[in-house]
Amino acid sequence: MHDPIDQLLAEHREIMAEVETLRRAVLDLRARGDAALPGAVPALASVGRMMATRLLRHARKEDEALFPAIEHALGAGGGPTAVMREDHRAIHERATVFRETLRELNEVEHPAIVAGGARLRALAGGGADAATLAETGEQVVSLLDLHFGKEEDILFPMAREALSRDALRAVAERMAAIEAEAA
Ligand SMILES: [Fe+2]
Ligand SMILES: [Fe+2]
């Protein structure tokens, strides 16, 4: 089986490699102003497109495959591994924190990322000045840095702990189905 967490991590790296283009474009816009527009606009447009395709697919894998599996494991008392390691009170406390983190990632940050991508595409399409483009680009970059960091530091380690081998296999299968839909 392909480890689904490893796959999501690999997708983070691929997505962030493309986001580097946006980071450089923002720096260039800040440094050179409107003179940087001819180079920066295509970069913003391309990252905007990636956010509507590859990044959206990545978020769907989390929203529809990984997060429900974690919710389910937390509901079942934190999963067999966690039960062996922790007392019930600690599991309960962590489950509450994890549920809040899940909700934030799913209901607040994923929609904010989708909206940021749409803003990038709209601005790149029509005559915005360097300062506006740089500001939107910075917002998207910091949103992604924060979001990916939270998933990598909190969510993915929690998933590794909470999910059984069977649960991980089911997540991998649902993720593959989402990927196949897009192909
Ligand atoms: Fe995410
Ligand atoms: Fe992610």
Side-chain angles (χ1 to χ4, degrees):
M1 175 191 67
H2 212 69
D3 183 304
I5 310 291
D6 285 347
Q7 195 193 320
L8 290 169
L9 281 167
E11 290 180 9
H12 277 192
R13 283 193 295 277
E14 288 165 17
I15 289 163
M16 276 323 212
E18 289 198 41
V19 171
E20 280 312 305
T21 317
L22 178 58
R23 244 186 262 274
R24 280 197 301 275
V26 165
L27 289 177
D28 199 27
L29 287 165
R30 288 292 186 211
R32 299 197 297 125
D34 287 349
L37 284 174
V41 168
L44 265 68
S46 129
V47 172
R49 278 194 302 275
M50 182 276 287
M51 292 175 75
T53 51
R54 190 200 295 221
L55 180 52
L56 193 63
R57 203 150 62 234
H58 172 80
R60 275 193 61 202
K61 290 174 188 172
E62 292 169 344
D63 287 338
E64 296 171 31
L66 182 66
F67 294 175
I70 295 173
E71 283 277 1
H72 183 78
L74 293 177
T81 319
V83 169
M84 280 188 286
R85 283 188 203 153
E86 309 274 353
D87 68 35
H88 285 166
R89 188 181 156 75
I91 291 166
H92 178 75
E93 280 171 6
R94 287 165 71 229
T96 305
V97 170
F98 286 152
R99 260 196 211 92
E100 275 163 21
T101 304
L102 273 180
R103 209 175 359 261
E104 217 170 81
L105 294 170
N106 165 264
E107 289 176 19
V108 180
E109 295 185 12
H110 281 171
I113 288 168
V114 169
R119 231 167 27 246
L120 267 190
R121 289 192 298 285
L123 285 177
D129 62 14
T132 309
L133 286 173
E135 196 176 320
T136 302
E138 274 161 5
Q139 285 166 2
V140 167
V141 166
S142 69
L143 191 62
L144 290 174
D145 282 342
L146 219 79
H147 179 75
F148 282 21
K150 207 183 283 180
E151 289 179 342
E152 290 172 16
D153 294 344
I154 302 171
L155 185 84
F156 294 168
M158 168 190 32
R160 285 196 200 282
E161 190 181 320
L163 299 181
S164 66
R165 269 190 74 80
D166 285 350
L168 283 171
R169 189 173 297 117
V171 169
E173 280 166 12
R174 290 187 72 175
M175 282 172 45
I178 290 167
E179 191 64 48
E181 253 175 56

Coordinates of all heavy atoms in Angstrom, one line a residue, residues 57-123:
R57 N -7.6 19.6 -5.7 CA -7.6 18.1 -5.6 C -7.0 17.6 -4.3 O -7.5 16.7 -3.7 CB -6.9 17.5 -6.9 CG -7.3 16.1 -7.2 CD -7.2 16.0 -8.7 NE -5.8 16.1 -9.2 CZ -5.4 16.9 -10.1 NH1 -6.2 17.7 -10.8 NH2 -4.1 17.0 -10.5
H58 N -5.9 18.2 -4.0 CA -5.2 17.9 -2.8 C -6.1 18.1 -1.5 O -6.2 17.3 -0.7 CB -3.9 18.7 -2.6 CG -3.2 18.6 -1.3 ND1 -2.4 17.5 -1.0 CD2 -3.2 19.4 -0.2 CE1 -1.9 17.6 0.2 NE2 -2.4 18.8 0.7
A59 N -6.7 19.3 -1.5 CA -7.6 19.6 -0.4 C -8.8 18.7 -0.3 O -9.3 18.3 0.7 CB -8.1 21.1 -0.5
R60 N -9.3 18.3 -1.5 CA -10.4 17.3 -1.5 C -10.0 16.0 -0.9 O -10.8 15.3 -0.2 CB -10.9 17.1 -3.0 CG -11.9 18.1 -3.5 CD -12.5 17.6 -4.8 NE -13.2 16.3 -4.6 CZ -13.5 15.5 -5.5 NH1 -13.1 15.7 -6.8 NH2 -14.2 14.4 -5.3
K61 N -8.8 15.6 -1.2 CA -8.3 14.3 -0.6 C -8.3 14.4 0.9 O -8.6 13.4 1.6 CB -6.9 14.0 -1.1 CG -6.9 13.5 -2.5 CD -5.4 13.4 -3.0 CE -5.4 13.2 -4.5 NZ -4.0 13.2 -5.0
E62 N -7.9 15.6 1.4 CA -8.0 15.8 2.9 C -9.4 15.9 3.4 O -9.8 15.2 4.4 CB -7.2 17.0 3.3 CG -5.7 16.9 3.0 CD -4.9 18.2 3.1 OE1 -5.5 19.3 3.0 OE2 -3.7 18.1 3.1
D63 N -10.2 16.7 2.7 CA -11.6 16.9 3.2 C -12.4 15.7 3.1 O -13.3 15.4 4.0 CB -12.2 18.0 2.4 CG -11.7 19.4 2.7 OD1 -11.2 19.6 3.8 OD2 -11.8 20.3 1.8
E64 N -12.2 14.9 2.1 CA -13.1 13.8 1.8 C -12.6 12.4 2.2 O -13.4 11.5 2.4 CB -13.6 13.8 0.3 CG -14.3 15.0 -0.1 CD -14.6 15.1 -1.6 OE1 -14.7 14.1 -2.2 OE2 -14.6 16.3 -2.1
A65 N -11.3 12.3 2.3 CA -10.7 11.0 2.6 C -10.0 11.0 4.0 O -10.4 10.2 4.9 CB -9.7 10.6 1.6
L66 N -9.1 11.9 4.3 CA -8.3 11.9 5.5 C -9.1 12.4 6.7 O -9.2 11.7 7.8 CB -7.0 12.6 5.4 CG -6.1 12.6 6.6 CD1 -5.6 11.2 6.9 CD2 -5.0 13.6 6.5
F67 N -9.7 13.6 6.6 CA -10.4 14.2 7.8 C -11.5 13.3 8.3 O -11.6 13.1 9.5 CB -10.9 15.6 7.4 CG -9.8 16.6 7.2 CD1 -10.1 17.9 6.8 CD2 -8.4 16.3 7.3 CE1 -9.1 18.8 6.5 CE2 -7.4 17.2 7.0 CZ -7.8 18.5 6.6
P68 N -12.4 12.8 7.4 CA -13.5 11.9 8.0 C -12.9 10.7 8.7 O -13.5 10.3 9.7 CB -14.3 11.5 6.8 CG -13.9 12.5 5.7 CD -12.5 12.9 6.0
A69 N -11.8 10.1 8.2 CA -11.2 9.0 8.9 C -10.7 9.3 10.2 O -10.8 8.5 11.2 CB -10.1 8.4 8.0
I70 N -10.1 10.5 10.4 CA -9.6 10.9 11.7 C -10.8 11.2 12.6 O -10.8 10.8 13.8 CB -8.7 12.2 11.5 CG1 -7.5 11.9 10.7 CG2 -8.3 12.7 12.9 CD1 -6.6 13.1 10.4
E71 N -11.8 11.9 12.1 CA -13.0 12.1 12.9 C -13.5 10.8 13.4 O -13.9 10.7 14.6 CB -14.1 12.8 12.0 CG -13.9 14.3 11.7 CD -14.4 15.1 12.8 OE1 -14.9 14.6 13.8 OE2 -14.4 16.4 12.7
H72 N -13.6 9.9 12.6 CA -14.2 8.6 12.9 C -13.3 7.9 14.0 O -13.8 7.4 15.0 CB -14.2 7.7 11.7 CG -14.8 6.3 12.0 ND1 -16.2 6.2 12.1 CD2 -14.3 5.1 12.2 CE1 -16.4 4.9 12.4 NE2 -15.3 4.2 12.4
A73 N -12.0 8.0 13.9 CA -11.1 7.4 14.9 C -11.2 8.1 16.2 O -11.2 7.5 17.3 CB -9.6 7.4 14.3
L74 N -11.3 9.4 16.2 CA -11.4 10.2 17.4 C -12.7 9.8 18.1 O -12.8 9.7 19.3 CB -11.4 11.7 17.1 CG -10.1 12.2 16.6 CD1 -10.2 13.7 16.4 CD2 -8.9 12.0 17.7
G75 N -13.8 9.7 17.3 CA -15.1 9.3 17.9 C -15.1 8.0 18.5 O -15.8 7.7 19.5
A76 N -14.2 7.1 18.0 CA -14.1 5.7 18.6 C -13.2 5.7 19.8 O -12.8 4.6 20.3 CB -13.6 4.8 17.5
G77 N -12.8 6.9 20.3 CA -12.0 6.9 21.5 C -10.5 7.1 21.3 O -9.7 6.8 22.1
G78 N -10.2 7.6 20.1 CA -8.8 7.9 19.8 C -8.1 6.9 19.1 O -6.9 7.0 18.8
G79 N -8.7 5.8 18.8 CA -8.0 4.7 18.1 C -7.3 3.8 19.0 O -6.8 4.2 20.1
P80 N -7.1 2.5 18.6 CA -6.5 1.5 19.5 C -5.1 1.9 19.9 O -4.7 1.7 21.1 CB -6.4 0.3 18.6 CG -6.8 0.7 17.2 CD -7.5 2.0 17.3
T81 N -4.3 2.5 19.1 CA -2.9 2.8 19.4 C -2.9 3.9 20.5 O -2.2 3.7 21.5 CB -2.1 3.4 18.2 OG1 -2.5 2.6 17.1 CG2 -0.6 3.3 18.5
A82 N -3.7 4.9 20.3 CA -3.8 6.0 21.3 C -4.3 5.4 22.6 O -3.8 5.9 23.7 CB -4.7 7.1 20.8
V83 N -5.2 4.5 22.6 CA -5.8 4.0 23.8 C -4.7 3.3 24.7 O -4.6 3.4 25.9 CB -7.0 3.0 23.6 CG1 -7.4 2.3 24.8 CG2 -8.2 3.8 23.0
M84 N -3.8 2.6 24.0 CA -2.8 1.9 24.7 C -1.8 2.9 25.3 O -1.2 2.6 26.3 CB -2.0 1.0 23.7 CG -2.8 -0.3 23.5 SD -1.8 -1.5 22.6 CE -1.9 -0.8 20.9
R85 N -1.6 4.0 24.7 CA -0.5 4.9 25.1 C -1.0 6.0 26.1 O -0.2 6.5 26.9 CB 0.0 5.7 23.9 CG 0.9 4.9 23.1 CD 1.6 5.8 22.1 NE 2.0 5.0 20.9 CZ 2.1 5.5 19.7 NH1 1.8 6.8 19.5 NH2 2.6 4.8 18.7
E86 N -2.3 6.3 26.1 CA -2.7 7.5 26.9 C -3.8 7.1 27.8 O -4.5 6.2 27.6 CB -3.3 8.5 25.9 CG -2.4 8.9 24.8 CD -1.4 10.0 25.1 OE1 -1.5 10.5 26.2 OE2 -0.5 10.2 24.3
D87 N -3.9 7.9 28.9 CA -5.1 7.6 29.7 C -6.3 8.3 29.1 O -6.2 9.2 28.2 CB -4.9 8.1 31.2 CG -4.8 9.6 31.3 OD1 -5.5 10.3 30.6 OD2 -4.1 10.0 32.2
H88 N -7.5 7.9 29.5 CA -8.7 8.4 28.8 C -8.9 9.9 28.8 O -9.3 10.5 27.8 CB -10.0 7.7 29.4 CG -10.1 6.3 28.9 ND1 -10.9 5.4 29.5 CD2 -9.4 5.6 27.9 CE1 -10.8 4.2 28.9 NE2 -9.9 4.3 27.9
R89 N -8.5 10.5 29.9 CA -8.7 11.9 30.0 C -7.8 12.6 29.0 O -8.3 13.5 28.3 CB -8.3 12.3 31.4 CG -8.6 13.8 31.7 CD -8.1 14.1 33.2 NE -7.8 15.5 33.3 CZ -8.8 16.4 33.3 NH1 -10.0 16.1 33.4 NH2 -8.5 17.7 33.4
A90 N -6.6 12.2 28.9 CA -5.7 12.8 27.9 C -6.2 12.7 26.5 O -6.1 13.6 25.7 CB -4.3 12.2 28.0
I91 N -6.7 11.5 26.2 CA -7.3 11.2 24.8 C -8.4 12.2 24.6 O -8.5 12.8 23.5 CB -7.8 9.8 24.7 CG1 -6.7 8.8 24.7 CG2 -8.6 9.6 23.4 CD1 -7.1 7.4 24.9
H92 N -9.3 12.3 25.6 CA -10.5 13.2 25.4 C -10.0 14.6 25.2 O -10.5 15.3 24.3 CB -11.4 13.1 26.7 CG -12.5 14.0 26.6 ND1 -13.6 13.7 25.8 CD2 -12.8 15.2 27.1 CE1 -14.5 14.7 25.9 NE2 -14.0 15.6 26.7
E93 N -9.0 15.1 26.0 CA -8.6 16.5 25.8 C -8.0 16.7 24.4 O -8.2 17.7 23.7 CB -7.5 16.8 26.8 CG -8.1 17.1 28.2 CD -7.0 17.2 29.3 OE1 -5.8 17.1 28.9 OE2 -7.4 17.4 30.4
R94 N -7.2 15.8 24.0 CA -6.5 15.9 22.7 C -7.6 15.8 21.6 O -7.5 16.5 20.6 CB -5.4 14.9 22.5 CG -4.2 15.3 23.4 CD -3.2 14.1 23.5 NE -2.5 13.8 22.3 CZ -2.4 12.6 21.8 NH1 -3.0 11.6 22.3 NH2 -1.8 12.4 20.7
A95 N -8.5 14.9 21.7 CA -9.5 14.7 20.7 C -10.3 16.1 20.5 O -10.6 16.4 19.3 CB -10.5 13.6 21.1
T96 N -10.5 16.8 21.5 CA -11.2 18.1 21.4 C -10.4 19.1 20.6 O -10.8 19.7 19.7 CB -11.6 18.7 22.8 OG1 -12.3 17.7 23.5 CG2 -12.4 19.9 22.7
V97 N -9.1 19.1 21.0 CA -8.2 20.1 20.3 C -8.1 19.6 18.8 O -8.1 20.5 17.9 CB -6.8 20.0 20.9 CG1 -5.8 20.7 20.1 CG2 -6.8 20.6 22.3
F98 N -7.9 18.3 18.6 CA -7.8 17.9 17.2 C -9.0 18.1 16.4 O -8.9 18.5 15.2 CB -7.5 16.4 17.2 CG -6.1 16.1 17.6 CD1 -5.8 14.9 18.2 CD2 -5.1 17.0 17.4 CE1 -4.5 14.6 18.6 CE2 -3.8 16.7 17.8 CZ -3.5 15.5 18.4
R99 N -10.2 18.0 17.0 CA -11.4 18.2 16.3 C -11.5 19.7 15.9 O -11.9 20.0 14.8 CB -12.7 17.9 17.1 CG -13.2 16.6 16.7 CD -14.6 16.3 17.3 NE -14.7 14.9 17.5 CZ -14.4 14.3 18.6 NH1 -14.1 15.0 19.7 NH2 -14.5 13.0 18.7
E100 N -11.1 20.6 16.8 CA -11.1 22.0 16.5 C -10.1 22.3 15.4 O -10.4 23.1 14.4 CB -10.7 22.8 17.7 CG -11.9 23.1 18.6 CD -11.5 23.6 20.0 OE1 -10.3 24.0 20.2 OE2 -12.3 23.4 20.9
T101 N -8.9 21.7 15.4 CA -7.9 21.9 14.3 C -8.5 21.4 13.0 O -8.4 22.1 12.0 CB -6.6 21.1 14.6 OG1 -6.2 21.5 15.9 CG2 -5.6 21.3 13.6
L102 N -9.1 20.2 13.0 CA -9.7 19.7 11.8 C -10.8 20.7 11.2 O -10.8 20.9 10.0 CB -10.5 18.4 12.1 CG -9.7 17.1 12.0 CD1 -10.6 15.9 12.4 CD2 -9.1 16.9 10.7
R103 N -11.6 21.2 12.1 CA -12.7 22.1 11.6 C -12.1 23.3 11.0 O -12.5 23.8 10.0 CB -13.6 22.5 12.8 CG -15.0 22.8 12.4 CD -16.0 23.0 13.5 NE -15.5 22.9 14.8 CZ -15.6 21.8 15.6 NH1 -16.3 20.8 15.1 NH2 -15.2 21.8 16.8
E104 N -11.0 23.8 11.7 CA -10.3 25.0 11.2 C -9.7 24.8 9.8 O -9.9 25.6 8.9 CB -9.2 25.4 12.1 CG -9.0 26.8 12.4 CD -8.0 27.0 13.5 OE1 -6.8 26.8 13.3 OE2 -8.5 27.2 14.7
L105 N -9.0 23.7 9.6 CA -8.4 23.3 8.4 C -9.5 23.2 7.3 O -9.3 23.7 6.2 CB -7.6 22.0 8.5 CG -6.4 22.1 9.4 CD1 -5.9 20.6 9.6 CD2 -5.3 22.9 8.8
N106 N -10.5 22.5 7.6 CA -11.5 22.1 6.6 C -12.5 23.3 6.3 O -12.8 23.5 5.2 CB -12.2 20.9 7.2 CG -13.5 20.6 6.5 OD1 -14.6 20.9 6.9 ND2 -13.4 19.9 5.3
E107 N -13.0 23.9 7.4 CA -14.1 24.9 7.1 C -13.6 26.3 6.9 O -14.3 27.1 6.4 CB -15.1 24.8 8.3 CG -15.9 23.5 8.4 CD -16.8 23.5 9.6 OE1 -17.1 24.5 10.2 OE2 -17.2 22.3 9.9
V108 N -12.4 26.6 7.5 CA -12.0 28.0 7.3 C -10.8 28.1 6.3 O -10.9 28.9 5.4 CB -11.5 28.5 8.7 CG1 -11.0 30.0 8.6 CG2 -12.6 28.4 9.7
E109 N -9.8 27.3 6.5 CA -8.6 27.5 5.7 C -8.7 27.0 4.3 O -8.3 27.7 3.3 CB -7.4 26.8 6.4 CG -7.1 27.5 7.7 CD -5.8 27.0 8.4 OE1 -5.0 26.3 7.8 OE2 -5.6 27.4 9.6
H110 N -9.3 25.8 4.1 CA -9.5 25.4 2.7 C -10.3 26.3 1.9 O -9.9 26.7 0.7 CB -10.0 23.9 2.6 CG -9.0 22.9 2.9 ND1 -9.3 21.6 3.1 CD2 -7.6 23.0 3.0 CE1 -8.2 20.9 3.3 NE2 -7.2 21.7 3.2
P111 N -11.4 26.8 2.4 CA -12.2 27.8 1.6 C -11.4 29.1 1.4 O -11.5 29.7 0.3 CB -13.4 28.1 2.4 CG -13.6 26.8 3.2 CD -12.2 26.3 3.5
A112 N -10.6 29.5 2.4 CA -9.8 30.7 2.2 C -8.7 30.6 1.1 O -8.4 31.5 0.4 CB -9.1 31.1 3.6
I113 N -8.2 29.4 1.0 CA -7.2 29.1 0.0 C -7.9 29.1 -1.4 O -7.3 29.7 -2.3 CB -6.5 27.7 0.2 CG1 -5.6 27.8 1.4 CG2 -5.8 27.2 -1.0 CD1 -5.1 26.5 2.0
V114 N -9.0 28.5 -1.5 CA -9.8 28.5 -2.8 C -10.1 30.0 -3.2 O -9.9 30.4 -4.3 CB -11.1 27.7 -2.6 CG1 -12.0 28.0 -3.9 CG2 -10.8 26.2 -2.5
A115 N -10.5 30.8 -2.2 CA -10.8 32.2 -2.5 C -9.6 33.0 -2.9 O -9.6 33.8 -3.8 CB -11.5 32.9 -1.2
G116 N -8.4 32.7 -2.2 CA -7.2 33.3 -2.5 C -6.8 33.0 -4.0 O -6.3 33.9 -4.7
G117 N -6.9 31.8 -4.4 CA -6.6 31.4 -5.8 C -7.5 32.1 -6.8 O -7.0 32.6 -7.8
A118 N -8.7 32.2 -6.5 CA -9.7 32.9 -7.4 C -9.3 34.4 -7.5 O -9.3 35.0 -8.6 CB -11.1 32.8 -6.8
R119 N -8.9 35.0 -6.3 CA -8.5 36.4 -6.3 C -7.2 36.6 -7.2 O -7.1 37.5 -8.0 CB -8.2 36.9 -4.9 CG -8.9 38.1 -4.6 CD -9.0 38.5 -3.1 NE -7.9 38.0 -2.2 CZ -8.1 37.2 -1.2 NH1 -9.3 36.6 -1.0 NH2 -7.1 36.8 -0.5
L120 N -6.3 35.7 -7.0 CA -5.0 35.7 -7.9 C -5.4 35.7 -9.3 O -4.8 36.5 -10.1 CB -4.1 34.5 -7.6 CG -3.0 34.6 -6.5 CD1 -2.2 33.4 -6.6 CD2 -2.2 35.9 -6.7
R121 N -6.2 34.7 -9.7 CA -6.6 34.6 -11.1 C -7.3 35.8 -11.7 O -7.0 36.3 -12.8 CB -7.5 33.4 -11.4 CG -6.7 32.0 -11.2 CD -7.5 30.9 -11.7 NE -8.8 30.7 -11.0 CZ -8.9 30.2 -9.7 NH1 -7.8 29.8 -9.1 NH2 -10.1 30.0 -9.2
A122 N -8.2 36.4 -10.9 CA -8.9 37.6 -11.3 C -8.0 38.8 -11.5 O -8.0 39.5 -12.5 CB -10.0 37.9 -10.3
L123 N -7.1 39.0 -10.5 CA -6.1 40.1 -10.6 C -5.2 39.9 -11.8 O -4.9 40.9 -12.5 CB -5.3 40.2 -9.3 CG -6.1 40.8 -8.1 CD1 -5.2 40.8 -6.9 CD2 -6.6 42.2 -8.3

